[in-house]
Amino acid sequence: MAREARGPKEGDFITIKSYKHDGSLHRTWRDTMVLKTSENALIGCNDHTLVIEDDGRRWVTREPAIVFFHKHYWFNVVAMIRDNGVSYYCNLATPYVLDKEALKYIDYDLDVKVFPDGEKRLLDIDEYEMFSRRWQYPPEIDKILKANVLILVDWINNRKGPFSKEYVDLWYSRYLELSRHK
């Protein structure tokens, strides 16, 4: 009887890798702490995490951020905890896959930024259109991404899941608790 592969546990550190539609590596985050895994989602925290860009540039995240990935939605959410409140950066991307190497997804260029005052901005439309032409995104991808922008905006407007203050407070507290034991 084959045993199911065990995924990361609460408190483990994983690598996150984003790719472009053509399969090229886009960005890597090292040492994201796993806060929760379920059948369909992974919640983690980046705090002074090393990020490596596709051109080799390296930088470190400035503030703690709760990250949310789901296996059914075509977006992931980064809640950046700053002195002036929580800002969100949402990537339109494939649902994630997790293997022994990393959590992986394809980044589809479009992003939604949410400011602490609730203002929303759709970013990188030009980049999306350029890559869509270059790599000939299938019409189904365009349709799925546009539908997921609507879902994402609904979550933001209704403070659902990662967009609620309670969610961010809960998972940031859990991160602080776990990091005291590391």
Side-chain angles (χ1 to χ4, degrees):
M1 189 158 105
R3 284 185 45 194
E4 214 174 292
R6 291 193 96 96
K9 297 185 307 300
E10 178 184 84
D12 287 351
F13 288 91
I14 62 168
T15 296
I16 297 172
K17 292 186 172 202
S18 75
Y19 294 85
K20 288 299 185 182
H21 183 79
D22 70 345
S24 61
L25 183 62
H26 173 54
R27 186 172 289 138
T28 302
W29 291 260
R30 297 285 306 275
D31 298 329
T32 296
M33 183 190 279
V34 174
L35 301 177
K36 179 178 174 34
T37 58
S38 69
E39 189 179 327
N40 294 314
L42 184 140
I43 300 166
C45 185
N46 288 331
D47 191 2
H48 295 86
T49 299
L50 175 65
V51 181
I52 305 164
E53 300 289 342
D54 60 351
D55 62 5
R57 282 182 305 126
R58 295 166 169 256
W59 54 279
V60 174
T61 60
R62 291 193 313 264
E63 65 271 314
I66 302 301
V67 294
F68 170 84
F69 296 90
H70 201 280
K71 287 187 177 170
H72 297 299
Y73 295 109
W74 283 62
F75 55 80
N76 57 64
V77 179
V78 180
M80 297 165 287
I81 302 163
R82 298 182 168 148
D83 294 339
N84 65 339
V86 177
S87 292
Y88 294 91
Y89 201 87
C90 313
N91 299 292
L92 274 292
T94 59
Y96 77 94
V97 295
L98 187 62
D99 63 21
K100 285 185 175 129
E101 183 191 21
L103 179 149
K104 300 172 181 177
Y105 63 90
I106 297 170
D107 182 309
Y108 275 103
D109 323 304
L110 287 173
D111 303 300
V112 176
K113 173 120 192 214
V114 184
F115 295 87
D117 66 1
E119 179 194 346
K120 294 180 285 300
R121 272 193 214 147
L122 184 60
L123 306 175
D124 303 328
I125 297 165
D126 295 348
E127 192 181 324
Y128 174 75
E129 288 173 354
M130 178 186 76
F131 285 127
S132 178
R133 281 191 301 277
R134 180 186 298 169
W135 293 321
Q136 300 175 335
Y137 295 170
E140 306 82 64
I141 295 280
D142 190 61
K143 201 167 146 184
I144 290 167
L145 294 172
K146 287 176 177 160
N148 275 264
V149 167
L150 297 177
I151 294 167
L152 187 56
V153 168
D154 179 64
W155 282 29
I156 294 164
N157 290 342
N158 291 295
R159 293 186 171 84
K160 185 174 173 185
F163 299 100
S164 79
K165 181 182 179 340
E166 296 77 16
Y167 179 102
V168 174
D169 290 349
L170 170 80
W171 292 113
Y172 185 54
S173 294
R174 187 66 187 131
Y175 164 70
L176 292 174
E177 194 179 304
L178 288 167
S179 52
R180 276 195 292 271
H181 295 89
K182 288 280 169 196

